[in-house]
């Protein structure tokens, strides 16, 4: 009886653990994006670059094939674009160029968020009219990564993803 119980526990752990690990990967991917964005809000190019390294590592370690989605070709294309965007941010410490690359990273991560549920938390898809670019945020308060302290509260939430 004891052996059956232990076997059941191990089987349950084996089946449940990958689901939690996958969920953690998705949250961490989005969290690492937020770290890049927040570094750019603070005009910290070094932090943006190092956070982009973390984003790349998490992106490479995320198994999108095990996630339910409708179009794996779309996921593969978005993944390649995200990797290229992160690489561009990694390769420069110039804050203005990193902010340009953030626009593409944000657009591509938004595409991914529309296909795959990245988190159980709300994602705010926010727009900067001066840059004519979007970014994703973990809260509704506007903190503009494209202009930082110069225009910190410029922008508006355009869509809320739940």
């Amino acid at each position: 009886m004891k052996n059956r119980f232990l076997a059941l526990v191990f089987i349950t752990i084996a089946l449940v653990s990958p689901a939690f690990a996958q969920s953690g990967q998705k949250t961490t991917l989005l969290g690492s994006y937020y770290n890049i964005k927040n570094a750019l809000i603070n005009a910290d190019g070094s932090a943006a670059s190092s956070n982009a390294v973390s984003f790349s590592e998490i992106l490479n370690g995320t198994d999108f094939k095990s996630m339910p989605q409708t179009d794996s070709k779309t996921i593969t294309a978005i993944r390649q674009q995200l990797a290229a965007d992160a690489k561009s941010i990694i390769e420069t410490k110039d804050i203005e160029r990193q902010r340009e690359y953030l626009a593409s990273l944000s657009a591509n991560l938004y595409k991914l968020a529309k296909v795959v549920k990245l988190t159980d938390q709300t994602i705010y898809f926010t727009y900067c009219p001066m840059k004519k670019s979007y970014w994703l945020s973990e809260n509704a308060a506007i903190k503009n990564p494209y202009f930082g302290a110069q225009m910190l509260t410029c922008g508006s939430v355009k869509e809320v993803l739940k």
Side-chain angles (χ1 to χ4, degrees), residues 19-146:
F20 284 116
Q22 192 64 46
S23 175
Q25 285 176 339
K26 292 186 291 182
T27 301
T28 305
L29 181 66
L30 185 61
S32 63
Y33 165 84
Y34 289 150
N35 291 339
I36 296 167
K37 173 197 58 99
N38 292 335
L40 293 174
I41 290 169
N42 296 320
D44 187 343
S46 293
S49 181
S50 65
N51 287 312
V53 169
S54 296
F55 181 89
S56 291
E57 290 170 351
I58 294 164
L59 180 66
N60 289 334
T62 301
D63 181 15
F64 290 104
K65 291 178 183 174
S66 68
M67 296 179 194
Q69 72 249 353
T70 56
D71 186 357
S72 63
K73 288 181 184 179
T74 300
I75 298 292
T76 301
I78 294 170
R79 184 183 200 149
Q80 291 170 347
Q81 293 168 341
L82 287 168
D85 295 334
K87 182 179 180 196
S88 296
I89 293 171
I90 292 166
E91 292 178 343
T92 184
K93 301 292 189 261
D94 179 331
I95 195 79
E96 296 309 316
R97 295 203 50 216
Q98 288 176 326
R99 286 174 169 159
E100 290 174 19
Y101 299 133
L102 179 70
S104 180
L105 180 69
S106 298
N108 289 318
L109 193 59
Y110 171 76
K111 289 177 194 174
L112 183 64
K114 295 293 276 186
V115 178
V116 175
K117 185 171 176 75
L118 295 175
T119 183
D120 292 333
Q121 304 299 313
T122 301
I123 301 171
Y124 298 91
F125 191 55
T126 312
Y127 181 69
C128 172
M130 300 298 290
K131 179 75 174 166
K132 294 183 175 53
S133 296
Y134 293 86
W135 75 92
L136 285 73
S137 184
E138 60 272 46
N139 55 56
I142 302 297
K143 290 191 178 178
N144 189 322
Y146 296 113

